[in-house]
Amino acid sequence: MGAKPLLRTLLLAMLSQPLSAVAQVAGGVDPVGRWTARPAGGAAKPPMGWSSWNAFRTEIDEEKVLGSAVALVRTGLAKRGYVYVNVDDGWWLRRRAADGRLIVRTQIFPSAMRGGGAETSLRPLTDRLHAMGLKAGLYTDVGHNACSQAYDLSSPNLPVGTAAEREVGLSGHVDQDIRLFFQEWKFDFLKVDACGLADYSADKPYVAAQGYRPSVPIVVRGEPARTDAGRVRASYEEVAEAIRKYASGAYFSICVWGQADVRAWGKDVGNGWRTSEDITADWTSMLQSFDSTATRALYAHPGAWNDPDMLFIGSGDFDQHHLIEARTHFSLWAIVNAPLMIGYDLRQAPQSLLDIWGNADVIAVNQDRAGNQAVPAYRSADLDILVKTMADGRKAVAIFNRTAEPVHADLTAGHLKLAPDRPVTMVNLWDRTKPVTFSGQTRLMLRPHETLLFMAEGQPELAEGLYLSEMTGSINVAADGVRQAELDPTIHRGISAWSGTKSSGETPMYTGWGGAQPDVAPYGTPLTIAGHGYGRGIGILSNSRMEVRNDAGYAHFKAEVGIDDSTRNRSSTVRFSVYGDGRMLAETGPISFGAAAVPISADLGEAKTIELIARSGDGGASTVSVAWSMARMTK
Ligand code: GLA
């Protein structure tokens, strides 16, 4: 297809959408013949390490940071993979008026002192960390001011000086600061927050009281219509560009709390992106963070990870007196390929907690090289079953009791995409003395809040290959067909730690609904074509393009495609095409709503990148829910 239909699509989209929405259809549905995702670089696996924030908020100092670094090495956690030591908010003193250079608060980072404090450098700190075999991470904000300057006003470690000197965020200084952090100070990881884009409107009492420069927010939490996703993305792209220039292998962590539709574009800009508000040490906050990644498996892959926030193991509902909850938190983060960032004062961690962070079997689930995020096999408000296909074909499975009551769960071979008539053996990754063997199905008892985490083996349903929904780490959703970012109603809404019950209540707050989903239709219903249900496949909207990496050298692609019965638009037809390295391998005719599924198959030859494209028949004007049912690649 030439450029014209695409242009028309874009034009139509531009006429009917606000600017922020247009940015999301620009992905392009014409085949490009290659894997266009950002290179995985230093983020081929989810990052592991320690961060100061959940342990100390802004009350950090060099002794606490280095003490935790020493503890990582001493306890063996560093050997297990926890190598990042990340300094979060609180490290800065001011931006020097003369030349805009950031000055470190040497009172808490004494090794940063140079020439009597007129000049400061975090290089001695990063040198120490690197000498210990660790990596170093730092924190900044994409706007003028940081989060602590709005939310931690009684902190002793807020920037000082004139309003301009207290503008420690990147805005207006991107190149200068990124050069400083990476080229001069040699950091390996940067977390870039977004309070500067969200929290400095003129009506905020602290803006006037502190004399901050007011700015019109372009992020309004939970309100996509008042958020300018396009501008937010552009701000982060500017940072990404500078990081590429000064440190191509560095880890770029986007922190816009699941807002501004980052759950859709984060993968194209950063190595990780927060999918939710800040986690607190409460069960329901953990639920919200977890849910914000659970349905997003197709938006992550090596180099690009959904980030439900740092671990809160060791505190509150996840402390040493709540080891069931702590293990659940860790199991869930492991299986959804979340960054594993310890948020606890490691200088005094009890063995019971060290055993959780240090569980090598659970870490191995998280760090598997295929990078397939677990896919939900069963979801409800009470219990989730999530299955992650490992590089060697084994299945990690988490059965998660969300309730405060004991529950039982029937786990089936089908949940695992394993043959129902052959034995399945499972090792319990928290208690190796409790293996499970079954055929067909098994009943498991779960204690309140418990997650059972197993590594399962059996006869795969597909003898010589994988369903696409078993290889999400090899898929890049280049265009998901979403026109208008929609709020995701499936994410737990607890009582907000910030507004409590004095507000009118919690509404869905994160866009990223109706896009690509493994094994279900775009809005979560079972994949169904003309009344026939399919438990496997990819649900997506029309005017979409998925890139599938064929590193394994699969020879055949097969699927049964059609319009999903859940679609709202029943009038437009959809045409499905399969490309191999840019060459068309197979295409259906236009398929109508209600028509039976159409088989589509292709010999892949030597093709390295397979593209799956679905276009609606009216030049891309309408959006139709479609199903690539049973989509699979085989030898
Ligand atoms: C925001 C981020 C947190 C933390 C604080 C620091 O709230 O989401 O993770 O970095 O800012 O102030």
Side-chain angles (χ1 to χ4, degrees), residues 53-54 57-58 88-89 139 146-149 151-152 191 193 195 221 255 257 274 276-278 309-310 498:
W53 181 254
N54 286 351
R57 291 189 74 94
T58 60
D88 207 283
D89 204 347
Y139 168 91
C147 293
S148 56
Q149 293 176 294
Y151 294 113
D152 285 77
K191 169 174 168 182
D193 220 327
C195 285
R221 288 182 181 80
C255 184
W257 334 290
R274 282 273 303 281
S276 60
E277 285 284 317
D278 291 11
D309 206 356
M310 301 166 286
W498 293 272

Side-chain angles (χ1 to χ4, degrees), residues 360-384:
D361 292 330
V362 182
I363 293 171
V365 170
N366 179 263
Q367 296 285 297
D368 183 69
R369 69 182 155 80
N372 301 318
Q373 178 178 322
V375 163
Y378 173 84
R379 291 215 82 193
S380 69
D382 293 342
L383 184 119
D384 285 325

Side-chain angles (χ1 to χ4, degrees), residues 95 100-102 140-141 167-171 173-182 185 190:
R95 188 180 285 287
R101 183 185 167 92
L102 285 168
T140 185
D141 195 283
E167 290 189 351
V168 291
L170 288 173
S171 184
H173 299 271
V174 172
D175 192 81
Q176 178 180 27
D177 289 359
I178 299 298
R179 198 195 67 75
L180 180 70
F181 301 155
F182 291 105
W185 291 352
L190 187 67

Side-chain angles (χ1 to χ4, degrees), residues 100-113:
R101 183 185 167 92
L102 285 168
I103 301 297
V104 180
R105 185 181 291 270
T106 51
Q107 226 176 353
I108 53 174
F109 286 96
S111 79
M113 177 90 83

Side-chain angles (χ1 to χ4, degrees), residues 84 200 225 385 387 480 483 486 611:
Y84 285 100
Y200 289 88
I385 301 176
V387 179
D480 66 4
R483 288 278 167 78
E486 284 182 51
E611 286 170 89

